[in-house]
Amino acid sequence: MRVAILGCGYVGRELGRQLVERDHDAIGVRRSDDGLESLESAGLEAVQADVTDSTSLEAVPDVDAIVFAASSGGRGADAAREVYVEGLRTAIEAFGAREEPPERLVYTSSTGVYGDHDGDWVDEETPIEPTTEKTEVLAEAERIALEHPAEYGFDGAVARYAGLYGPDRYRLERYLEGPVTEGYLNMIHRDDAAGAVRYLLEEDLARDEVVQVVDDEPVEKWAFADWLADEAGVEQPPKRTKAERLEADDLSEAARRRILTSKRCSNEKLRELGYEFAYPTFREGYREAIDARR
């Protein structure tokens, strides 16, 4: 395969590395020249282009598949719309108008598109009810990813990521020092976030479908923090309830909604498709970080 990874950052670089390791061609596309050298060192072809600019996308060669993994850089809803909605639509149209368009697109979304389910399980069949402006944008982008490619004769798909962690993103001190607010964590290690998309492409699975990319065991934050502390050999951190956290006057309305949103995300579909996790749970995924800290 020849795969273009648009917005080739934290997960994209690992996806490209895995593809190259398996004798595929990977093109890593970034908006700025910052980080292009690291892509090349991982074996990717590095291209500078902006997903919101169809002219700049002409620099990206023809490919069999596009993975849209661009980020809005943690900015607000307007910036998210520019990248996830307008950028995604621009990319689909730019590649779709070519003499040799791609065969498929995978858009990387977020489990944030679910509303509050009071700790119940959710899967790909659960209706999405985004609770913030930004997650409403992500939901709109999912619709575009599933519907718009068909206008150009190729297929879309959505890989709906849980919370990413891994090298440089373990955030151990946040949980070891506390206070830790109650609620569930739905997580996926970076290597499996990349591996799942690589697997769907290699095995030609889930065209025009949503696949939830999350590990085997959503965990309550208090239990997770205590496990980390025990493994690291330190005192268990202080805890606080959601009500105690919501009493603070430093929370934005979006942050309040996130605290009140609780769910457990199922990976049954991804498992049934045959993907095997490198890090099935947080216990395997955090081992390297804990050992390094000790």
Side-chain angles (χ1 to χ4, degrees), residues 16-35:
R17 189 199 65 77
Q18 291 186 23
L19 288 167
V20 170
E21 184 179 62
R22 289 162 175 79
D23 297 323
H24 304 293
D25 294 326
I27 299 101
V29 181
R30 293 180 64 92
R31 185 173 188 172
S32 72
D33 59 4
D34 181 40

Side-chain angles (χ1 to χ4, degrees), residues 89-152:
R89 185 181 285 116
T90 297
I92 291 170
E93 293 170 355
F95 281 91
R98 295 185 176 192
E99 289 186 12
E100 295 186 24
E103 294 181 11
R104 65 179 303 183
L105 159 83
V106 176
Y107 166 66
T108 61
S109 186
S110 165
T111 55
V113 295
Y114 294 106
D116 180 36
H117 289 269
D118 198 25
D120 285 344
W121 288 92
V122 298
D123 61 18
E124 292 82 358
E125 303 303 315
T126 305
I128 60 175
E129 299 175 0
T131 57
T132 67
E133 286 185 79
K134 191 166 185 178
T135 53
E136 287 174 359
V137 169
L138 294 176
E140 183 178 352
E142 286 193 3
R143 180 186 58 78
I144 292 170
L146 292 170
E147 297 177 0
H148 202 38
E151 298 177 24
Y152 297 89

